[in-house]
Amino acid sequence: MTTAQPENGPLAGEPRMLIDGELQLTESGAMFGVEHPATEQQAGDATDATVADMERAIGAARRAFDRTEWSRDAGFRFHCLSQLHEALDRNKERLRRVLITEVGCPVSVTGSQIESPIDEVKHWAEHGRDFEHLVDTGVHDTQLGPARRKLHYEPVGVVGAITPWNVPFYLNIAETVPALMAGNTVVLKPAQLTPWSGSELGRIVAEETDIPAGVFNVVTANANEVGAALSADPRVDMITFTGSTATGRAILAAGAPTIKKTLLELGGKSAHIVLDDADFSASLPLAAMMACVMSGQSCILPSRILLPRKRYDEGLAILQASMENFPVGDPWVAGNMQGPQISETQRKKVLGLIQSGIASGARVVTGGGIPETLPVGYYVQPTLLADVDPDSQVAQEEIFGPVLTVTPYDTDDEAVAIANNTIYGLSGEVSSADVDRAFAVAERMRTGNVTINGKSHFGVNSPFGGTRQSGLGYRNGAQGYTEYLHIKTIGMPA
């Protein structure tokens, strides 16, 4: 069990992984360090699993699915996940400190990363409890006479969940709890940079719930081949993954020999079309905030701002003022809204993309470098780039940093064309005083989700998924739950 800890500051998480109901280290005892991005110091260690460890976890999940009643007893699953909800709520302050330590997410904005996913555990438990797993579609005429048909919703089997580092606890919940409630068994592979958000979940499952051994497993590792082994193993029936499009392609290729079901939430390069009748004073400060909060490390961030040319300078001035006054600093200090990038590698990527934008003709309105007042920690200034070529690298590649690019346009048609000029299609936004006009523009955007006038599309009750190279399938909503189920159609005498 956990011991008493100070109430604030960096906190190392659970160093062990969970395999077949046992919290354990890898056989060799190998560990890898976890860095706190606000101090650039190692905060602790996590076990460095091997491919053999992953294979053991997959074997445990396979046995638990094939040989236990987990897949067939929805009442027991509801009981276990209700226990998990209560246990996570008891542990939420510890989870919050571990999250801030791993990610550098400011304490002021952790609600969406701690409280929201804990609430979602309760939501999915209740959704699965009430879900109709057998649906009678009535009597159908056939060439062989009338037949009654029933649809049986069945769990897919063993689900491998591979999660990213930007919102790790939230996505560990989002990618595993619906799968568990649907009757699947799960192997979770958390990101190398944020192993504790996964291992803490494993510890709580092992110590504070009745979830049987093998039903839920967590494997932490610093080597990419461990996650690759999960994607390729024929005993795994489905992979759910959130992360880069490049890794998504690799996962699809790894699962191809066994035609593995795959749910992918991949990269984005979302555009915010600000129409010429919009209330700039309402929409643009919010756009600046969304670019900076979580240090811009969000897949749905509308990082491309499209401004009407006749109001271009007005819009730039509002964005500049908002970004220059945004509170950046120590994530443990209440009131700060932007912390560091998660690593020096990520900061170098962000700064490199800013420089590529400058090289392609963009103008730095504000920011563009490292804050002088924050010499320690992987901080990047809130950055506004104007006059951005929509075909340039900085306008085409996901930045994952506190950077907005701004491009002018003359007509609604041109704005839509610029917004759609990308391989991605995850999210988007439209601002206008005329909601019908905004809706008409939103309908033409080739993206899975659109926000109009700041009214978010995102929530546990609404399907969320990307088009084009932003992903396959859906999270959230009824559609998100059924992603973890197969539909068996049964024909029987009328």
Side-chain angles (χ1 to χ4, degrees), residues 19-106:
I19 298 178
D20 205 9
E22 180 185 348
L23 293 167
Q24 57 191 267
L25 302 176
T26 192
E27 185 176 1
S28 70
M31 309 288 281
F32 65 97
V34 180
E35 195 174 33
H36 181 36
T39 63
E40 306 181 30
Q41 299 297 312
Q42 183 171 322
D45 296 293
T47 194
D48 195 0
T50 63
V51 170
D53 291 319
M54 178 60 77
E55 290 173 346
R56 289 193 300 111
I58 294 168
R62 185 78 262 168
R63 287 191 302 275
F65 184 80
D66 293 340
R67 301 178 189 177
T68 74
E69 292 297 309
W70 179 259
S71 65
R72 294 178 287 276
D73 193 340
F76 180 60
R77 298 197 299 268
F78 175 77
H79 160 75
C80 290
L81 292 182
S82 296
Q83 287 181 318
L84 179 61
H85 170 253
E86 293 170 1
L88 291 172
D89 192 58
R90 288 193 298 271
N91 282 269
K92 68 181 179 182
E93 295 311 320
R94 175 180 172 84
L95 292 167
R96 193 186 318 277
R97 287 183 59 196
V98 168
L99 173 80
I100 299 168
T101 302
E102 288 188 306
V103 182
C105 170

Coordinates of all heavy atoms in Angstrom, one line a residue, residues 19-106:
I19 N 1.1 -8.0 -14.3 CA 0.9 -9.1 -15.2 C 0.3 -10.2 -14.5 O 0.8 -10.7 -13.4 CB 2.3 -9.6 -15.8 CG1 2.9 -8.4 -16.6 CG2 2.1 -10.8 -16.7 CD1 4.3 -8.8 -17.2
D20 N -0.8 -10.7 -15.0 CA -1.6 -11.8 -14.4 C -1.9 -11.7 -13.0 O -1.7 -12.6 -12.2 CB -0.7 -13.1 -14.7 CG -1.6 -14.4 -14.7 OD1 -2.9 -14.2 -14.8 OD2 -1.1 -15.5 -14.7
G21 N -2.3 -10.5 -12.6 CA -2.7 -10.2 -11.2 C -1.6 -9.9 -10.3 O -1.8 -9.6 -9.1
E22 N -0.3 -9.9 -10.7 CA 0.8 -9.7 -9.8 C 1.6 -8.4 -10.2 O 2.0 -8.2 -11.3 CB 1.8 -10.9 -9.9 CG 3.0 -10.7 -8.9 CD 4.0 -11.9 -9.1 OE1 3.6 -12.9 -9.7 OE2 5.1 -11.7 -8.6
L23 N 1.8 -7.5 -9.2 CA 2.7 -6.4 -9.4 C 4.1 -6.9 -9.3 O 4.5 -7.5 -8.4 CB 2.4 -5.3 -8.3 CG 1.0 -4.6 -8.4 CD1 0.7 -3.9 -7.1 CD2 0.9 -3.7 -9.6
Q24 N 4.9 -6.6 -10.4 CA 6.2 -7.2 -10.5 C 7.2 -6.3 -11.3 O 6.7 -5.5 -12.1 CB 6.1 -8.6 -11.2 CG 5.4 -8.5 -12.5 CD 5.0 -9.9 -13.1 OE1 5.8 -10.5 -13.8 NE2 3.9 -10.4 -12.7
L25 N 8.4 -6.6 -11.1 CA 9.5 -6.0 -11.9 C 9.9 -7.0 -13.0 O 9.5 -8.2 -12.9 CB 10.7 -5.7 -11.0 CG 10.5 -4.8 -9.9 CD1 11.8 -4.6 -9.0 CD2 10.0 -3.4 -10.3
T26 N 10.6 -6.6 -14.0 CA 11.1 -7.5 -15.0 C 12.1 -8.4 -14.4 O 12.7 -8.0 -13.3 CB 11.7 -6.7 -16.2 OG1 11.9 -7.7 -17.3 CG2 12.9 -6.0 -15.8
E27 N 12.3 -9.6 -14.9 CA 13.2 -10.6 -14.3 C 14.6 -10.1 -14.0 O 15.2 -10.4 -12.9 CB 13.3 -11.8 -15.1 CG 14.0 -13.0 -14.5 CD 14.0 -14.2 -15.3 OE1 13.4 -14.2 -16.4 OE2 14.6 -15.2 -14.9
S28 N 15.1 -9.3 -14.9 CA 16.5 -8.8 -14.7 C 16.6 -7.6 -13.7 O 17.7 -7.2 -13.2 CB 17.1 -8.3 -16.0 OG 16.4 -7.1 -16.4
G29 N 15.4 -7.1 -13.3 CA 15.4 -5.9 -12.5 C 15.7 -4.6 -13.2 O 15.8 -3.5 -12.5
A30 N 15.8 -4.6 -14.5 CA 16.1 -3.4 -15.3 C 15.1 -2.3 -15.1 O 13.9 -2.6 -15.0 CB 16.3 -3.7 -16.7
M31 N 15.5 -1.1 -15.0 CA 14.6 0.1 -14.8 C 15.0 1.1 -15.8 O 16.1 1.2 -16.3 CB 14.7 0.6 -13.4 CG 14.6 -0.4 -12.2 SD 12.9 -1.0 -12.0 CE 12.2 0.3 -11.1
F32 N 14.1 2.1 -16.0 CA 14.4 3.3 -16.8 C 13.9 4.5 -16.0 O 12.9 4.4 -15.3 CB 13.9 3.2 -18.2 CG 12.4 3.2 -18.4 CD1 11.7 4.4 -18.6 CD2 11.7 2.0 -18.3 CE1 10.3 4.3 -18.8 CE2 10.3 2.0 -18.4 CZ 9.6 3.1 -18.7
G33 N 14.6 5.6 -16.2 CA 14.2 6.8 -15.5 C 13.1 7.6 -16.1 O 12.8 7.6 -17.3
V34 N 12.4 8.3 -15.2 CA 11.3 9.2 -15.6 C 11.6 10.6 -15.1 O 11.9 10.8 -14.0 CB 9.9 8.7 -14.9 CG1 8.8 9.6 -15.4 CG2 9.6 7.3 -15.3
E35 N 11.6 11.5 -16.1 CA 12.0 12.9 -15.8 C 10.9 13.8 -15.5 O 9.8 13.7 -16.2 CB 12.8 13.3 -17.1 CG 13.6 14.6 -16.8 CD 14.5 14.9 -18.1 OE1 14.0 14.7 -19.2 OE2 15.6 15.4 -17.9
H36 N 11.1 14.7 -14.6 CA 10.1 15.8 -14.4 C 10.5 17.0 -15.3 O 11.5 17.6 -15.1 CB 10.1 16.2 -12.9 CG 9.1 17.3 -12.6 ND1 7.9 17.4 -13.2 CD2 9.2 18.4 -11.7 CE1 7.3 18.4 -12.7 NE2 8.0 19.0 -11.8
P37 N 9.6 17.3 -16.3 CA 10.0 18.3 -17.3 C 10.1 19.7 -16.8 O 10.7 20.5 -17.5 CB 8.9 18.1 -18.4 CG 7.8 17.5 -17.7 CD 8.4 16.6 -16.6
A38 N 9.6 20.0 -15.6 CA 9.8 21.3 -15.1 C 11.1 21.6 -14.4 O 11.5 22.7 -14.2 CB 8.6 21.6 -14.1
T39 N 11.8 20.5 -14.0 CA 13.1 20.6 -13.4 C 14.2 20.0 -14.2 O 15.4 20.2 -13.8 CB 13.0 19.9 -12.0 OG1 12.8 18.5 -12.1 CG2 11.9 20.6 -11.1
E40 N 13.9 19.2 -15.2 CA 14.9 18.4 -16.0 C 15.6 17.4 -15.1 O 16.7 16.9 -15.5 CB 15.9 19.4 -16.6 CG 15.2 20.5 -17.5 CD 16.2 21.4 -18.2 OE1 17.4 20.9 -18.5 OE2 15.9 22.6 -18.4
Q41 N 15.0 17.0 -14.0 CA 15.6 16.1 -13.1 C 14.8 14.7 -13.1 O 13.6 14.7 -13.3 CB 15.6 16.6 -11.7 CG 16.4 17.9 -11.5 CD 17.9 17.7 -11.8 OE1 18.5 16.7 -11.3 NE2 18.5 18.6 -12.6
Q42 N 15.6 13.6 -12.9 CA 14.9 12.4 -12.8 C 14.1 12.3 -11.5 O 14.6 12.5 -10.4 CB 15.9 11.2 -12.9 CG 15.3 9.8 -12.9 CD 16.3 8.7 -13.1 OE1 17.2 8.9 -13.9 NE2 16.1 7.6 -12.4
A43 N 12.8 11.9 -11.7 CA 11.9 11.9 -10.5 C 11.8 10.5 -9.9 O 11.3 10.3 -8.8 CB 10.5 12.4 -10.9
G44 N 12.2 9.5 -10.7 CA 12.1 8.1 -10.2 C 12.2 7.1 -11.4 O 12.7 7.5 -12.5
D45 N 11.8 5.9 -11.1 CA 12.1 4.8 -12.1 C 10.8 4.0 -12.4 O 9.9 4.0 -11.6 CB 13.2 3.8 -11.6 CG 14.5 4.5 -11.5 OD1 15.1 4.9 -12.5 OD2 15.0 4.7 -10.3
A46 N 10.8 3.3 -13.5 CA 9.8 2.4 -13.8 C 10.5 1.1 -14.4 O 11.6 1.2 -14.9 CB 8.8 2.9 -14.9
T47 N 9.8 0.0 -14.2 CA 10.4 -1.3 -14.7 C 10.5 -1.3 -16.2 O 9.6 -0.8 -16.9 CB 9.6 -2.5 -14.1 OG1 10.4 -3.7 -14.4 CG2 8.3 -2.7 -14.8
D48 N 11.6 -1.8 -16.7 CA 11.8 -1.8 -18.1 C 11.6 -3.2 -18.7 O 12.5 -4.0 -18.7 CB 13.3 -1.4 -18.4 CG 13.5 -1.0 -19.9 OD1 12.5 -1.1 -20.7 OD2 14.6 -0.6 -20.2
A49 N 10.3 -3.4 -19.1 CA 9.9 -4.8 -19.5 C 10.6 -5.2 -20.8 O 11.0 -4.3 -21.6 CB 8.4 -4.8 -19.6
T50 N 10.5 -6.5 -21.0 CA 11.1 -7.1 -22.3 C 9.9 -7.6 -23.1 O 8.8 -7.6 -22.7 CB 12.0 -8.2 -21.9 OG1 11.2 -9.3 -21.3 CG2 13.1 -7.8 -21.0
V51 N 10.3 -8.0 -24.3 CA 9.3 -8.6 -25.2 C 8.7 -9.9 -24.5 O 7.5 -10.2 -24.6 CB 9.9 -9.0 -26.6 CG1 9.0 -9.9 -27.4 CG2 10.2 -7.7 -27.3
A52 N 9.6 -10.6 -23.8 CA 9.1 -11.8 -23.1 C 8.1 -11.4 -22.0 O 7.1 -12.2 -21.8 CB 10.3 -12.5 -22.4
D53 N 8.2 -10.3 -21.3 CA 7.2 -9.8 -20.4 C 5.9 -9.5 -21.1 O 4.8 -9.9 -20.6 CB 7.7 -8.6 -19.7 CG 8.9 -8.8 -18.7 OD1 8.9 -9.9 -18.0 OD2 9.8 -8.0 -18.7
M54 N 6.0 -8.9 -22.2 CA 4.8 -8.6 -23.0 C 4.1 -9.9 -23.4 O 2.9 -10.0 -23.3 CB 5.1 -7.7 -24.2 CG 3.9 -7.4 -25.1 SD 2.6 -6.5 -24.2 CE 3.3 -4.9 -24.2
E55 N 4.8 -10.8 -23.8 CA 4.2 -12.1 -24.2 C 3.5 -12.8 -23.1 O 2.5 -13.4 -23.2 CB 5.3 -13.0 -24.8 CG 5.8 -12.5 -26.2 CD 7.0 -13.3 -26.7 OE1 7.6 -14.0 -25.9 OE2 7.3 -13.1 -27.9
R56 N 4.1 -12.7 -21.9 CA 3.5 -13.3 -20.7 C 2.2 -12.5 -20.4 O 1.1 -13.2 -20.0 CB 4.4 -13.2 -19.5 CG 5.6 -14.1 -19.5 CD 6.3 -14.2 -18.2 NE 6.8 -13.0 -17.7 CZ 6.3 -12.3 -16.6 NH1 5.3 -12.7 -16.0 NH2 6.9 -11.1 -16.3
A57 N 2.2 -11.2 -20.5 CA 0.9 -10.4 -20.3 C -0.1 -10.8 -21.3 O -1.3 -11.0 -20.9 CB 1.3 -9.0 -20.4
I58 N 0.2 -11.0 -22.5 CA -0.7 -11.3 -23.6 C -1.3 -12.7 -23.3 O -2.5 -13.0 -23.4 CB -0.1 -11.3 -25.0 CG1 0.3 -9.8 -25.3 CG2 -1.0 -11.9 -26.0 CD1 1.2 -9.7 -26.6
G59 N -0.4 -13.7 -22.9 CA -0.9 -15.0 -22.5 C -1.9 -15.0 -21.4 O -2.9 -15.7 -21.3
A60 N -1.6 -14.1 -20.4 CA -2.5 -14.0 -19.2 C -3.9 -13.5 -19.7 O -4.9 -14.0 -19.2 CB -1.9 -13.1 -18.2
A61 N -3.8 -12.4 -20.5 CA -5.1 -11.9 -21.0 C -5.9 -12.9 -21.9 O -7.1 -13.0 -21.8 CB -4.8 -10.6 -21.8
R62 N -5.2 -13.7 -22.6 CA -5.8 -14.7 -23.5 C -6.5 -15.7 -22.6 O -7.6 -16.1 -22.8 CB -4.8 -15.3 -24.4 CG -5.3 -16.3 -25.4 CD -5.9 -15.6 -26.6 NE -7.4 -15.5 -26.5 CZ -8.1 -14.8 -27.3 NH1 -7.6 -14.0 -28.2 NH2 -9.4 -14.8 -27.1
R63 N -5.8 -16.2 -21.6 CA -6.4 -17.2 -20.7 C -7.6 -16.7 -20.0 O -8.6 -17.3 -19.8 CB -5.3 -17.7 -19.7 CG -4.3 -18.6 -20.3 CD -3.4 -19.3 -19.2 NE -2.8 -18.3 -18.3 CZ -1.6 -17.7 -18.5 NH1 -1.0 -18.0 -19.7 NH2 -1.1 -16.9 -17.7
A64 N -7.5 -15.4 -19.5 CA -8.6 -14.8 -18.7 C -9.8 -14.7 -19.6 O -10.9 -14.8 -19.1 CB -8.1 -13.5 -18.1
F65 N -9.6 -14.4 -20.9 CA -10.8 -14.2 -21.7 C -11.4 -15.6 -22.1 O -12.6 -15.8 -22.1 CB -10.4 -13.5 -23.0 CG -11.6 -13.3 -23.9 CD1 -12.4 -12.2 -23.7 CD2 -11.8 -14.1 -25.0 CE1 -13.5 -12.0 -24.5 CE2 -13.0 -13.9 -25.8 CZ -13.8 -12.9 -25.6
D66 N -10.5 -16.6 -22.3 CA -11.0 -17.9 -22.8 C -11.6 -18.7 -21.7 O -12.4 -19.6 -21.9 CB -9.9 -18.6 -23.5 CG -9.5 -17.9 -24.9 OD1 -10.3 -17.1 -25.4 OD2 -8.4 -18.2 -25.3
R67 N -11.0 -18.6 -20.5 CA -11.3 -19.6 -19.4 C -12.1 -19.1 -18.2 O -12.4 -19.8 -17.3 CB -10.0 -20.2 -18.9 CG -9.2 -20.9 -20.0 CD -7.9 -21.4 -19.5 NE -7.0 -21.9 -20.5 CZ -5.7 -22.3 -20.3 NH1 -5.3 -22.4 -19.1 NH2 -5.0 -22.7 -21.3
T68 N -12.3 -17.8 -18.2 CA -13.1 -17.2 -17.0 C -14.5 -16.7 -17.5 O -14.8 -16.7 -18.7 CB -12.3 -16.1 -16.3 OG1 -12.4 -14.9 -17.1 CG2 -10.9 -16.4 -16.1
E69 N -15.3 -16.3 -16.5 CA -16.6 -15.8 -16.8 C -16.6 -14.3 -17.1 O -17.7 -13.8 -17.3 CB -17.5 -16.1 -15.6 CG -17.8 -17.6 -15.4 CD -18.5 -18.2 -16.6 OE1 -19.6 -17.7 -17.0 OE2 -18.1 -19.3 -17.1
W70 N -15.5 -13.7 -17.1 CA -15.4 -12.2 -17.3 C -16.2 -11.8 -18.5 O -17.0 -10.8 -18.4 CB -14.0 -11.8 -17.4 CG -13.8 -10.3 -17.6 CD1 -13.6 -9.6 -18.8 CD2 -13.9 -9.3 -16.6 NE1 -13.5 -8.3 -18.6 CE2 -13.7 -8.0 -17.2 CE3 -14.2 -9.3 -15.2 CZ2 -13.8 -6.8 -16.5 CZ3 -14.2 -8.1 -14.5 CH2 -14.0 -6.9 -15.2
S71 N -16.0 -12.4 -19.6 CA -16.7 -12.0 -20.9 C -18.2 -12.2 -20.9 O -18.9 -11.6 -21.7 CB -16.1 -12.7 -22.1 OG -16.4 -14.1 -22.0
R72 N -18.7 -13.0 -19.9 CA -20.1 -13.4 -19.9 C -20.9 -12.8 -18.8 O -22.1 -13.0 -18.7 CB -20.2 -14.9 -19.9 CG -19.7 -15.6 -21.2 CD -19.8 -17.1 -21.2 NE -18.8 -17.7 -20.3 CZ -17.6 -17.9 -20.6 NH1 -17.2 -17.7 -21.9 NH2 -16.7 -18.5 -19.8
D73 N -20.2 -12.2 -17.8 CA -20.9 -11.8 -16.6 C -20.9 -10.2 -16.5 O -20.0 -9.7 -15.8 CB -20.2 -12.4 -15.4 CG -21.1 -12.2 -14.1 OD1 -21.9 -11.4 -14.1 OD2 -20.8 -13.0 -13.1
A74 N -21.8 -9.6 -17.1 CA -21.9 -8.1 -17.1 C -22.1 -7.6 -15.7 O -21.6 -6.5 -15.4 CB -22.9 -7.6 -18.0
G75 N -22.8 -8.3 -14.9 CA -23.1 -7.8 -13.5 C -21.8 -7.8 -12.7 O -21.6 -6.8 -11.9
F76 N -21.0 -8.8 -12.8 CA -19.7 -8.8 -12.1 C -18.8 -7.7 -12.7 O -18.1 -7.0 -11.9 CB -19.0 -10.1 -12.3 CG -17.7 -10.3 -11.6 CD1 -17.6 -10.1 -10.2 CD2 -16.5 -10.6 -12.3 CE1 -16.4 -10.2 -9.6 CE2 -15.3 -10.7 -11.7 CZ -15.2 -10.5 -10.3
R77 N -18.8 -7.5 -14.0 CA -17.9 -6.4 -14.5 C -18.4 -5.0 -14.0 O -17.6 -4.2 -13.6 CB -18.0 -6.4 -16.1 CG -17.5 -7.7 -16.7 CD -17.2 -7.5 -18.2 NE -18.4 -7.1 -19.0 CZ -19.2 -8.0 -19.6 NH1 -19.0 -9.3 -19.5 NH2 -20.2 -7.6 -20.3
F78 N -19.7 -4.8 -13.9 CA -20.2 -3.6 -13.3 C -19.7 -3.4 -11.9 O -19.3 -2.3 -11.5 CB -21.7 -3.5 -13.4 CG -22.3 -2.3 -12.7 CD1 -22.3 -1.1 -13.3 CD2 -22.9 -2.4 -11.4 CE1 -22.8 0.0 -12.7 CE2 -23.4 -1.3 -10.8 CZ -23.4 -0.1 -11.4
H79 N -19.8 -4.5 -11.1 CA -19.3 -4.5 -9.7 C -17.8 -4.1 -9.7 O -17.4 -3.2 -8.9 CB -19.5 -5.8 -9.1 CG -18.6 -6.1 -7.9 ND1 -18.9 -5.6 -6.6 CD2 -17.5 -6.9 -7.7 CE1 -18.0 -6.0 -5.8 NE2 -17.1 -6.8 -6.4
C80 N -17.0 -4.7 -10.5 CA -15.5 -4.4 -10.5 C -15.2 -3.0 -10.9 O -14.4 -2.3 -10.3 CB -14.8 -5.4 -11.4 SG -14.8 -7.1 -10.7
L81 N -15.9 -2.5 -11.9 CA -15.6 -1.2 -12.4 C -16.2 -0.1 -11.5 O -15.6 1.0 -11.4 CB -16.1 -1.0 -13.8 CG -15.3 -1.8 -14.8 CD1 -15.8 -1.6 -16.3 CD2 -13.8 -1.6 -14.8
S82 N -17.2 -0.4 -10.8 CA -17.7 0.5 -9.7 C -16.7 0.6 -8.6 O -16.4 1.7 -8.1 CB -19.1 0.0 -9.2 OG -20.1 0.0 -10.2
Q83 N -16.1 -0.5 -8.2 CA -15.0 -0.5 -7.3 C -13.8 0.3 -7.8 O -13.2 1.1 -7.0 CB -14.5 -1.9 -7.0 CG -15.3 -2.9 -6.2 CD -14.6 -4.2 -6.1 OE1 -14.1 -4.7 -7.0 NE2 -14.7 -4.8 -4.9
L84 N -13.5 0.2 -9.1 CA -12.4 1.0 -9.6 C -12.7 2.4 -9.6 O -11.8 3.3 -9.3 CB -12.1 0.5 -11.1 CG -11.0 1.3 -11.8 CD1 -9.7 1.1 -11.1 CD2 -10.9 0.8 -13.3
H85 N -13.9 2.8 -9.9 CA -14.3 4.2 -9.8 C -14.1 4.8 -8.4 O -13.5 5.9 -8.3 CB -15.8 4.4 -10.3 CG -16.3 5.8 -10.0 ND1 -17.2 6.1 -9.0 CD2 -16.0 7.0 -10.6 CE1 -17.5 7.3 -9.0 NE2 -16.8 7.9 -10.0
E86 N -14.5 4.1 -7.4 CA -14.4 4.5 -6.1 C -12.9 4.6 -5.6 O -12.5 5.5 -5.0 CB -15.2 3.6 -5.1 CG -16.7 3.7 -5.3 CD -17.4 2.6 -4.6 OE1 -16.8 1.8 -3.9 OE2 -18.7 2.6 -4.7
A87 N -12.1 3.6 -6.1 CA -10.7 3.6 -5.7 C -10.0 4.7 -6.4 O -9.1 5.3 -5.8 CB -10.1 2.2 -6.1
L88 N -10.3 5.0 -7.6 CA -9.6 6.1 -8.3 C -9.9 7.4 -7.6 O -9.0 8.3 -7.5 CB -10.0 6.1 -9.8 CG -9.5 5.0 -10.7 CD1 -10.1 5.0 -12.0 CD2 -8.0 5.0 -10.8
D89 N -11.2 7.6 -7.2 CA -11.5 8.8 -6.5 C -10.8 8.9 -5.2 O -10.3 10.0 -4.9 CB -13.0 8.8 -6.3 CG -13.5 10.2 -5.9 OD1 -13.3 11.1 -6.6 OD2 -14.1 10.3 -4.8
R90 N -10.6 7.8 -4.5 CA -9.8 7.9 -3.3 C -8.3 8.3 -3.5 O -7.7 8.9 -2.7 CB -9.8 6.5 -2.5 CG -11.1 6.2 -1.9 CD -11.0 5.0 -1.0 NE -10.6 3.8 -1.6 CZ -11.4 2.9 -2.2 NH1 -12.8 3.1 -2.1 NH2 -11.0 1.8 -2.8
N91 N -7.8 7.8 -4.7 CA -6.4 8.0 -5.0 C -6.1 9.3 -5.9 O -5.0 9.5 -6.4 CB -5.9 6.8 -5.8 CG -5.6 5.6 -4.9 OD1 -4.5 5.4 -4.4 ND2 -6.6 4.8 -4.6
K92 N -7.2 10.1 -6.1 CA -7.0 11.1 -7.2 C -5.9 12.1 -6.9 O -5.3 12.6 -7.8 CB -8.4 11.8 -7.4 CG -8.9 12.7 -6.3 CD -10.2 13.3 -6.7 CE -10.8 14.1 -5.7 NZ -12.2 14.6 -6.1
E93 N -5.7 12.5 -5.6 CA -4.7 13.5 -5.4 C -3.3 12.9 -5.6 O -2.4 13.6 -6.1 CB -4.8 14.1 -4.0 CG -6.1 14.8 -3.7 CD -6.3 15.9 -4.8 OE1 -5.4 16.5 -5.3 OE2 -7.5 16.0 -5.3
R94 N -3.1 11.6 -5.3 CA -1.8 11.0 -5.7 C -1.7 10.9 -7.2 O -0.6 11.2 -7.7 CB -1.8 9.6 -5.0 CG -0.5 8.8 -5.5 CD -0.5 7.4 -4.9 NE 0.6 6.6 -5.4 CZ 1.9 6.7 -5.0 NH1 2.2 7.4 -4.0 NH2 2.8 5.9 -5.6
L95 N -2.7 10.5 -7.9 CA -2.7 10.5 -9.3 C -2.4 11.8 -9.9 O -1.7 11.9 -10.9 CB -4.0 9.9 -9.8 CG -4.3 8.5 -9.5 CD1 -5.8 8.1 -9.8 CD2 -3.4 7.5 -10.3
R96 N -2.9 12.9 -9.3 CA -2.7 14.2 -9.9 C -1.2 14.6 -9.8 O -0.6 15.1 -10.7 CB -3.5 15.2 -9.1 CG -3.6 16.6 -9.7 CD -4.3 17.6 -8.8 NE -5.5 17.1 -8.2 CZ -6.7 17.1 -8.8 NH1 -6.9 17.5 -10.0 NH2 -7.8 16.6 -8.1
R97 N -0.6 14.3 -8.6 CA 0.8 14.6 -8.4 C 1.7 13.8 -9.4 O 2.7 14.3 -9.9 CB 1.2 14.4 -7.0 CG 0.7 15.4 -6.0 CD 1.2 15.2 -4.6 NE 2.6 15.2 -4.5 CZ 3.3 14.7 -3.5 NH1 2.7 14.2 -2.5 NH2 4.6 14.8 -3.5
V98 N 1.3 12.5 -9.6 CA 2.1 11.7 -10.5 C 2.0 12.2 -11.9 O 3.0 12.3 -12.7 CB 1.6 10.2 -10.4 CG1 2.2 9.4 -11.6 CG2 2.0 9.6 -9.1
L99 N 0.8 12.7 -12.3 CA 0.6 13.2 -13.6 C 1.4 14.5 -13.8 O 2.1 14.6 -14.9 CB -0.9 13.5 -13.8 CG -1.3 14.3 -15.1 CD1 -1.4 13.3 -16.3 CD2 -2.6 15.0 -14.9
I100 N 1.4 15.4 -12.9 CA 2.1 16.6 -13.0 C 3.6 16.3 -13.1 O 4.4 16.9 -13.9 CB 1.8 17.6 -11.9 CG1 0.3 18.0 -11.8 CG2 2.7 18.9 -12.0 CD1 -0.1 18.7 -10.6
T101 N 4.0 15.4 -12.3 CA 5.5 15.0 -12.3 C 5.9 14.4 -13.7 O 7.0 14.8 -14.2 CB 5.7 13.9 -11.2 OG1 5.3 14.4 -10.0 CG2 7.2 13.5 -11.2
E102 N 5.1 13.6 -14.3 CA 5.4 13.0 -15.5 C 5.3 13.9 -16.7 O 6.2 14.0 -17.6 CB 4.5 11.8 -15.8 CG 4.8 10.6 -15.0 CD 3.9 9.4 -15.5 OE1 2.7 9.5 -15.6 OE2 4.5 8.3 -15.7
V103 N 4.2 14.7 -16.8 CA 3.8 15.5 -17.9 C 4.2 16.9 -17.8 O 4.5 17.6 -18.8 CB 2.3 15.4 -18.2 CG1 1.9 16.1 -19.5 CG2 1.9 13.9 -18.3
G104 N 4.3 17.5 -16.6 CA 4.4 18.9 -16.4 C 3.2 19.7 -16.6 O 3.2 20.9 -16.8
C105 N 2.0 19.0 -16.6 CA 0.7 19.6 -16.8 C 0.4 20.5 -15.6 O 0.6 20.1 -14.4 CB -0.4 18.6 -16.9 SG -2.0 19.2 -16.8
P106 N 0.1 21.8 -15.8 CA -0.2 22.7 -14.6 C -1.3 22.1 -13.7 O -2.3 21.7 -14.2 CB -0.5 24.0 -15.3 CG 0.2 24.0 -16.6 CD 0.1 22.5 -17.0

